[in-house]
Amino acid sequence: MIKRFLYSQKVAPYVFVLPFILVFLIFWVYPLGSSLSMSFQKVTLGQDAQWVGLDNYTKLMGDKTFFKAVANSAVYMLLTLVILIPFPMLFAVLINSKLMWAREFFKSSFFFPALTSVVVAGTIFRLMFGEMEGSMINSILGLFGIEPMKFLKGQVTGYIALVALATWRWTGVNMLYFLSGLKNIPDDYYEAASIDGASRFQKFTKITMPLLKPTSIYVLTISIYAGLAMFIESMMLWNGNNSPKNIGLTIVGYLYRQGIEKNNLGYAAAVGIVLLAITMIINLTQLAFSGMFKKED
Amino acid sequence: MKKDMVMKTVLFIFFAVLGLLILIPFYAVTIASFKPGGDLIRYGLNLRFDLSVMSLDNFAYLFTGDHAYFTWFFNSLFLTVAQVALTLIVSATVAYGFSAYEFKGKNILFICVLLIMMVPFEILLLPLYTLIFNIGLMNSYSAIILPGVASAATIFFFRQYLSGIPKEIISAGRVDGASEYGIYIRLILPIMKPSFAAMAILNGMNSWNNFLWPFMVLSDDRKYTLPIGLKTLLTPYGNNYDLLIVGSFFSIIPIFILFVAFQKYFIDGMTAGAVKG
């Protein structure tokens, strides 16, 4: 009887998707809900929570360190967008050109950095950007007569190290995204354009860029997400969650500091909710502007 | 045609230079793993290839020294294999449910799949941490595996793949008297094999390199995974550079070998979903 029920064509689909429903409820809906309710409470592990209304949020609005963290994450995200979308797109177009030798070889070697864990990559970059005269970046700058710098002690140079790390790890991956987008553009378009006498540049702006739009939107969406949620990169470069004057503090870093390091779970939950709101607003606006919600796409 | 040769050479040189820039950090960490840790402390990571200070000491220490490196290494290996196997089986099953049937609530559920891809996992860190604490799964590998077992990205990829498979196979299976589950196991799973390879590689790479969540859950250093173990070599009281640098170098090797052998699958997995948006 039960067997017949489970084996019916009406019930079977639910059996198939049941694991997703369970994981979604237990590990997403419940934590998200409890995060939301925690953000209105004062919570310390091992003690009863107290409802405090909007206190956490009002306190957050006056919290200079929090705004420092938001600004850091936002600047980091913008810098990665400015570098990690146009350049990989250009590289993909160049590498895809008929004039390219050893295409497969370059495709793979650009991908190599993505294989490293952020712990290993972060350690390598921390040491490359070391403050000693002999460490890699400083000794290269020395060749140009530039004095050795303490990269990880200043705001601007700190960003340089962070963005260098992101660029190193993700250029190749984003290039692959664009390459797979390029594969879907039929050659006929370019042939027709050539017959009409279009220049290389015109072909790029009139055919390639518009037809790469879905890929660009995808890369933009994941880059916004990754930029705003960045934490470990900073933790590795500064060997912990503390950087001089919080130059490397990110939103998630602040969430971690308040929640795990200071056991201030309610306040940290409010930080998380604000992060969620920022990510959703930026991404939904971006998707609406790029026309992703229109039916014909 | 002469113009083409010039262009070809220019392009090649341009990419060769970029490629070299990308490989420099690997070169630096490779030569550093042959140098004593004191050299790193004194000079930082550098490009000097100096045979007089280079030796195999770090490697000797890695393989024979008194430390937990290989415990962490095999923990990572075990966790990666377990995580990949479970995630693939569960996600494929769910994807098949979404692709083969029409049922009430299907669209809403699928929107939830897409939503997961847009919610930063990091905001769940604290409530998930308290949940895992409350159900007593702290310091266990299940706490790491379970939340990701129905992976949204993997479900999405499998569903895309299955949408290219003719539905007639399913009807034919029914005519032959196979049950709904029999059809999935005997007819569909074998067809899915190639897509399993891509997702195994991608999930494997992510799992091998995963850090933040395992770092929060695991407290017993015998259970640490490789990235956590390496991180603990850096402390505010001093850094064990000898082991850190050679250990970092060594930790990249297995995934490099995998990459060279299965390049196509890495790239298929990585770029899945990017085209259709």
Side-chain angles (χ1 to χ4, degrees):
Chain A
M1 186 61 201
I2 291 174
K3 194 173 169 188
R4 178 175 266 169
F5 173 75
L6 281 176
Y7 275 65
S8 82
Q9 248 184 71
K10 270 209 152 25
V11 178
Y14 295 101
V15 177
F16 280 113
V17 297
L18 185 67
F20 174 73
I21 301 177
L22 289 178
V23 167
F24 185 64
L25 291 178
I26 301 173
F27 296 115
W28 289 84
V29 175
Y30 173 75
L32 215 57
S34 76
S35 205
L36 193 62
S37 75
M38 256 160 74
S39 76
F40 297 106
Q41 293 172 326
K42 186 172 166 35
V43 194
T44 325
L45 262 192
Q47 281 170 28
D48 285 338
Q50 285 169 285
W51 288 92
V52 292
L54 284 170
D55 274 13
N56 288 326
Y57 291 96
T58 44
K59 214 173 107 199
L60 211 51
M61 289 305 116
D63 184 341
K64 285 214 181 84
T65 316
F66 172 66
F67 281 100
K68 175 73 187 148
V70 174
N72 280 345
S73 291
V75 171
Y76 172 81
M77 176 198 82
L78 286 172
L79 290 173
T80 54
L81 293 185
V82 170
I83 293 170
L84 284 171
I85 292 177
F87 289 104
M89 189 198 281
L90 181 71
F91 295 163
V93 171
L94 290 178
I95 220 172
N96 201 45
S97 131
K98 290 201 176 67
L99 299 173
M100 190 66 208
W101 277 320
R103 181 181 300 147
E104 294 304 317
F105 172 75
F106 284 118
K107 259 167 77 175
S108 348
S109 45
F110 278 44
F111 185 83
F112 273 173
L115 301 176
T116 57
S117 85
V118 61
V119 169
V120 170
T123 307
I124 297 176
F125 270 68
R126 183 171 121 84
L127 294 167
M128 285 193 337
F129 281 94
E131 54 189 55
M132 286 81 71
E133 212 175 307
S135 57
M136 201 183 114
I137 303 291
N138 271 334
S139 61
I140 293 174
L141 289 177
L143 297 178
F144 299 96
I146 300 170
E147 290 290 300
M149 283 192 242
K150 295 183 173 172
F151 277 96
L152 299 175
K153 299 223 165 103
Q155 181 73 72
V156 175
T157 47
Y159 279 134
I160 292 177
L162 269 176
V163 172
L165 173 56
T167 307
W168 181 70
R169 287 188 81 212
W170 300 116
T171 301
V173 173
N174 287 2
M175 189 182 87
L176 283 179
Y177 289 142
F178 285 115
L179 275 169
S180 66
L182 285 175
K183 253 199 298 194
N184 287 18
I185 304 179
D187 280 340
D188 320 3
Y189 291 13
Y190 294 105
E191 279 158 25
S194 297
I195 293 167
D196 291 345
S199 69
R200 276 222 174 86
F201 181 72
Q202 281 174 319
K203 282 188 220 164
F204 178 70
T205 52
K206 298 273 157 59
I207 301 174
T208 313
M209 288 215 333
L211 288 173
L212 275 182
K213 200 172 140 192
T215 315
S216 311
I217 292 170
Y218 176 81
V219 176
L220 185 62
T221 311
I222 55 167
S223 308
I224 290 174
Y225 176 112
L228 289 173
M230 189 272 285
F231 168 44
I232 311 296
E233 282 85 347
S234 156
M235 190 182 189
M236 290 315 301
L237 280 186
W238 280 279
N239 196 8
N241 200 9
N242 281 308
S243 44
K245 294 195 188 127
N246 291 319
I247 52 174
L249 184 67
T250 68
I251 305 178
V252 179
Y254 197 54
L255 182 150
Y256 190 85
R257 181 185 291 176
Q258 290 293 343
I260 304 292
E261 290 167 1
K262 295 192 173 165
N263 197 4
N264 204 350
L265 294 166
Y267 196 56
V271 175
I273 298 296
V274 174
L275 170 64
L276 177 66
I278 299 175
T279 322
M280 290 312 250
I281 291 170
I282 296 182
N283 261 332
L284 293 176
T285 322
Q286 178 260 120
L287 291 174
F289 266 105
S290 51
M292 276 309 271
F293 296 136
K294 283 188 209 134
K295 277 272 178 300
E296 65 271 19
D297 263 338
Chain B
M1 281 305 103
K2 210 174 164 212
K3 206 179 132 218
D4 273 5
M5 279 311 281
V6 175
M7 271 301 282
K8 275 187 181 179
T9 317
V10 170
L11 266 183
F12 184 80
I13 293 174
F14 176 72
F15 277 97
V17 170
L18 273 178
L20 281 179
L21 277 175
I22 285 176
L23 295 178
I24 280 178
F26 289 112
Y27 167 76
V29 76
T30 308
I31 56 166
S33 54
F34 291 96
K35 295 180 190 171
D39 196 77
L40 264 178
I41 296 167
R42 239 170 297 134
Y43 308 114
L45 201 58
N46 57 51
L47 301 173
R48 234 184 355 262
F49 189 86
D50 180 0
L51 277 175
S52 66
V53 292
M54 288 162 78
S55 69
L56 288 170
D57 289 358
N58 291 337
F59 287 90
Y61 180 56
L62 180 73
F63 286 103
T64 57
D66 179 27
H67 53 68
Y69 186 85
F70 284 99
T71 311
W72 303 331
F73 190 92
F74 287 109
N75 288 344
S76 270
L77 208 59
F78 169 76
L79 187 63
T80 299
V81 171
Q83 194 160 20
V84 168
L86 276 169
T87 306
L88 289 199
I89 292 167
V90 172
S91 304
T93 310
V94 172
Y96 177 69
F98 277 121
S99 123
Y101 299 95
E102 291 304 324
F103 54 93
K104 253 199 199 117
K106 173 176 161 171
N107 286 334
I108 296 189
L109 274 175
F110 198 68
I111 288 173
C112 295
V113 174
L114 299 177
L115 218 61
I116 289 185
M117 303 210 275
M118 283 187 73
V119 176
F121 172 77
E122 286 77 1
I123 84 147
L124 300 177
L125 283 178
L126 300 174
L128 212 48
Y129 182 79
T130 32
L131 172 73
I132 294 295
F133 183 83
N134 289 334
I135 55 181
L137 283 181
M138 236 20 182
N139 203 21
S140 74
Y141 288 159
S142 5
I144 299 169
I145 296 173
L146 288 178
V149 76
S151 147
T154 311
I155 293 174
F156 189 77
F157 176 83
F158 282 140
R159 204 202 64 139
Q160 297 278 86
Y161 186 85
L162 284 168
S163 69
I165 291 172
K167 292 271 187 296
E168 285 75 28
I169 297 177
I170 300 172
S171 340
R174 284 193 188 123
V175 173
D176 288 347
S179 76
E180 297 301 309
Y181 310 105
I183 293 172
Y184 170 61
I185 294 168
R186 267 180 249 122
L187 300 178
I188 303 296
L189 276 182
I191 306 178
M192 287 177 81
K193 258 190 212 151
S195 64
F196 266 73
M199 284 297 105
I201 291 281
L202 183 73
N203 279 292
M205 178 178 111
N206 288 340
S207 175
W208 179 261
N209 287 334
N210 194 10
F211 176 71
L212 186 55
W213 180 237
F215 177 67
M216 290 180 66
V217 169
L218 300 175
S219 51
D220 175 358
D221 64 356
R222 305 301 300 175
K223 284 192 178 168
Y224 281 172
T225 59
L226 199 45
I228 304 174
L230 288 174
K231 170 78 180 71
T232 60
L233 297 176
L234 293 166
T235 68
Y237 310 106
N239 306 320
N240 187 349
Y241 278 134
D242 298 292
L243 187 57
L244 177 67
I245 212 75
V246 71
S248 296
F249 174 71
F250 192 78
S251 78
I252 310 175
I253 293 177
I255 211 136
F256 252 56
I257 295 172
L258 266 183
F259 178 71
V260 174
F262 299 107
Q263 265 182 53
K264 179 183 172 297
Y265 297 114
F266 268 93
I267 289 171
D268 285 356
M270 209 70 195
T271 53
V275 180
K276 299 224 166 95

